[in-house]
């Protein structure tokens, strides 16, 4: 591996673009898997092969894949930090290849489910580690853009799966469902080969190997000499972060000490919980099935509509590149929830309009739902967890967030067929209520991290806070920017002494402000 890197060492913008392409391929594979089974499960050869699976079996075939992704995320939580970012991706790719082979050779529902779970474990590893790797190699001013491109490629994979499933649907043999599933191997092999030429995260290297080796990687990423001031600045930020962070223990994950690890992980977990409880995958996984079973649309037309809807969904998923570093994460999440709430309600209305008019309205609302989601909850949740977690906890925080995604994703896709069969249009009223609940959650609990380096984001979470402020600390300052965060930081007073919550200053603390606790730390 070292010889390969010596023969071909991309630097600067080229290296950053190559890393982004690799990360995007990891998420393209994720998106492809989201869409491919929705097309395959409705094909005539699939139905014959697996003896007309019931709605419950359809839900298990689709949903237990997410159980595998959850297992992969938990595995990353346990061993991901030890393996590093690149080795974790290697392991994920190999598992995906094995799982794909199991799927395409399946002849029973049980065999297929096993293959789906194994494939899911590999994808779960990649969704846990890829955002962390991308965030750690990218500068603060471009981090949101690169992470948006990465997340948008979920939809590239989703669109590919829809169009490939549409093309394969015109076959009459098992090619209808085997070929679309087998395509996953190509993406996994591409990722395996590409990552060989790329660099490990300099922050992981500094923590586990040496600061000097990390400096060499930083120099490559910036395409500058190791002694350049920009390289030195990043090196010093990492060095200070490592010095100020207490080496974590497993117990640190579940207590809200001066680094607020528990709060950070809950924020990452929560934002991907919100992503899934928008209801997006009740549509994405089952679009063709819903059109044929609940609306007056033929099977072939349903596949065409699903593919067209996915294509325009892809176009909108790249739009946030234009505003992600100008508007900020919080504003996007709040207004995204408002739009998704309204559109969920309108989908429910469409189900109640008889005939072709209701079908047209529902399809239009599905497309608009895709677009609103693409510009809000598609990208921000995946970038938020690696941004807010501390250096030593970042891979674990990313794994916890990924586990949240797959846990609630699995719940949604498993219950959707049965729920639609039981309560029909009221199912979308449930999603409208969930989306409404996200508005106050984001407003009160989620700090703004736009334009901040990963080390500056750490300053938001310094100190424990008291009462409600332990959940809202730093939110108000984060909206005002880095200068307000720095001004509100607790300062060392020569001893490891906490501020008395009954003191005059503590009485004046308001929810959403940084606590006045004194923490023993070095000045930066």
């Amino acid at each position: 591996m070292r010889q390969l890197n010596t023969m071909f060492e991309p630097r600067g913008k080229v290296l950053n673009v190559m890393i982004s392409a690799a990360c995007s391929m990891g998420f393209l594979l994720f998106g492809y898997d989201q869409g491919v089974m929705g097309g395959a499960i409705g094909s005539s050869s699939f139905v014959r092969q697996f003896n007309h699976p019931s709605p419950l079996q359809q839900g298990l075939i689709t949903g237990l894949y997410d159980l595998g992704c959850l297992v992969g995320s938990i595995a990353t939580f346990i061993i991901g930090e030890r393996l590093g970012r690149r080795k974790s991706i290697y392991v994920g790719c190999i598992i995906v290849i094995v799982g794909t082979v199991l799927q395409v050779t399946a002849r029973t529902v049980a065999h297929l489910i096993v293959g789906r779970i194994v494939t899911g474990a590999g994808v779960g590893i990649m969704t846990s580690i890829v955002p962390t790797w991308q965030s750690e190699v990218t500068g603060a001013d471009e981090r949101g853009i690169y992470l948006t491109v990465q997340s948008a490629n979920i939809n590239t994979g989703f669109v590919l799966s829809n169009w490939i499933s549409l093309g394969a649907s015109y076959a009459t043999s098992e090619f209808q469902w085997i070929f679309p599933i087998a395509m996953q191997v190509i993406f996994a092999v591409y990722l395996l080969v590409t990552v060989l030429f790329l660099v490990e995260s300099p922050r992981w290297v500094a923590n586990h190997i040496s600061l000097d080796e990390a400096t060499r990687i930083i120099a490559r990423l910036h395409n500058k000499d190791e002694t350049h001031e920009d390289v030195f600045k990043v090196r010093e930020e990492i060095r200070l972060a490592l010095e100020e962070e207490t080496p974590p223990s497993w117990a640190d994950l579940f207590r809200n000490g001066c680094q607020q690890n528990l709060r950070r992980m809950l924020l990452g977990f929560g934002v991907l919980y919100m992503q899934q409880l928008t209801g997006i995958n009740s549509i994405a996984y089952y679009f063709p099935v819903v059109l044929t079973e609940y609306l007056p649309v033929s099977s072939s037309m349903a596949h065409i509509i699903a593919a067209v809807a996915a294509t325009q969904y892809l176009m909108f998923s790249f739009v946030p590149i234009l505003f992600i570093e100008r508007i900020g994460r919080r504003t996007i999440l709040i207004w995204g929830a408002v739009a998704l709430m309204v559109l969920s309600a309108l989908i429910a209305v469409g189900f109640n309009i008889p005939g072709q008019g209701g079908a047209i309205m529902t399809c239009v609302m599905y497309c608009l739902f895709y677009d609103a989601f693409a510009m809000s909850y598609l990208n921000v949740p995946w970038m938020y967890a690696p941004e807010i977690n501390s250096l030593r906890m970042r891979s674990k925080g990313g794994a916890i967030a990924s586990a949240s995604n797959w846990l609630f994703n699995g719940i949604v896709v498993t219950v959707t067929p049965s729920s639609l069969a039981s309560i029909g249009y009221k199912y979308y009223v449930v999603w409208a209520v969930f989306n409404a609940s996200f508005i106050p959650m984001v407003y009160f609990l989620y700090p703004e991290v736009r334009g901040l380096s990963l080390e500056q984001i750490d300053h938001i979470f310094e100190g424990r806070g008291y009462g409600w402020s332990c959940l809202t600390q730093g939110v108000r300052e984060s909206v005002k920017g880095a200068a307000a965060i720095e001004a509100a930081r607790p300062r060392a007073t020569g001893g490891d002494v906490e501020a008395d919550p009954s003191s005059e200053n503590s009485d004046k603390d308001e929810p959403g402000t940084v606590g006045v606790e004194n923490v023993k730390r070095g000045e930066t």
Side-chain angles (χ1 to χ4, degrees), residues 13 15 55 69 71 151 256 303 320 339 363 435 449 452 467 485 519:
K13 197 72 173 179
L15 177 57
C69 294
V71 170
S151 301
N256 217 27
H303 278 90
C363 287
N435 282 298
V449 297
L452 302 176
I485 295 169
V519 181

Side-chain angles (χ1 to χ4, degrees), residues 164-400:
I164 289 171
S165 294
L166 173 61
S169 69
Y170 290 98
T172 55
S173 66
E174 291 182 346
F175 183 89
Q176 279 183 325
W177 65 273
I178 289 179
F179 177 73
I181 293 173
M183 282 288 292
Q184 296 169 93
V185 171
I186 297 175
F187 309 137
V189 170
Y190 168 87
L191 191 53
L192 271 175
V193 173
T194 303
V195 173
L196 290 172
F197 298 98
L198 305 177
V199 296
E200 182 55 272
S201 159
R203 289 170 169 87
W204 183 87
V205 170
N207 190 22
H208 293 275
I209 301 177
S210 74
L211 193 57
D212 288 340
E213 180 65 24
T215 305
R216 284 189 281 274
I217 295 173
I218 296 166
R220 277 187 63 184
L221 288 166
H222 287 76
N223 195 22
K224 292 175 181 175
D225 188 79
E226 292 176 28
T227 59
H228 193 280
E229 62 179 350
D230 291 345
V231 175
F232 181 77
K233 179 182 177 183
V234 176
R235 171 197 166 102
E236 284 301 289
E237 285 182 343
I238 295 172
R239 182 184 66 79
L240 286 169
L242 287 171
E243 286 182 357
E244 293 169 0
E245 287 183 30
T246 305
S249 66
W250 285 98
D252 289 332
L253 301 173
F254 306 103
R255 58 182 177 224
N256 217 27
C258 61
Q259 296 167 10
Q260 295 202 331
N261 291 316
L262 178 59
R263 178 190 173 198
R264 297 194 206 195
M265 290 198 177
L266 288 175
L267 289 172
F269 183 94
V271 75
L272 277 159
Y273 149 85
M274 288 188 276
Q275 184 195 67
Q276 291 307 309
L277 271 295
T278 60
I280 182 62
N281 284 318
S282 67
I283 298 173
Y285 276 70
Y286 295 107
F287 202 158
V289 176
V290 170
L291 292 180
T292 55
E293 293 188 8
Y294 297 93
L295 298 170
V297 177
S298 67
S299 178
S300 60
M301 181 57 68
H303 278 90
I304 293 171
I305 293 172
V308 171
T311 302
Q312 60 93 41
Y313 181 23
L314 171 62
M315 294 169 61
F316 276 90
S317 64
F318 286 95
V319 172
I321 292 172
L322 303 175
F323 58 75
I324 186 65
E325 291 298 351
R326 284 191 276 181
I327 296 178
R329 300 358 175 200
R330 281 165 47 88
T331 303
I332 291 171
L333 290 175
I334 289 170
W335 285 105
V338 171
L340 295 171
M341 173 188 67
V342 172
L343 290 166
S344 295
L346 290 174
I347 290 172
V349 172
F351 266 69
N352 283 285
I353 298 176
Q356 190 176 20
I360 292 172
M361 177 179 176
T362 302
C363 287
V364 170
M365 291 305 109
Y366 275 161
C367 289
L368 292 176
F369 190 98
Y370 271 162
D371 300 340
F373 181 86
M375 293 189 289
S376 56
Y377 280 84
L378 174 66
N379 61 334
V380 174
W382 283 111
M383 68 178 68
Y384 202 82
E387 287 185 318
I388 63 170
N389 280 285
S390 65
L391 194 158
R392 297 182 195 270
M393 291 290 192
R394 191 163 291 124
S395 65
K396 287 182 170 59
I400 286 286

Side-chain angles (χ1 to χ4, degrees), residues 29 91-103 118-119 122 184-189 192:
L29 184 58
V91 172
C93 288
I94 292 169
I95 293 174
V96 166
I97 292 169
V98 173
T100 302
V101 172
L102 288 172
Q103 287 185 74
V118 173
T119 304
Q184 296 169 93
V185 171
I186 297 175
F187 309 137
V189 170
L192 271 175

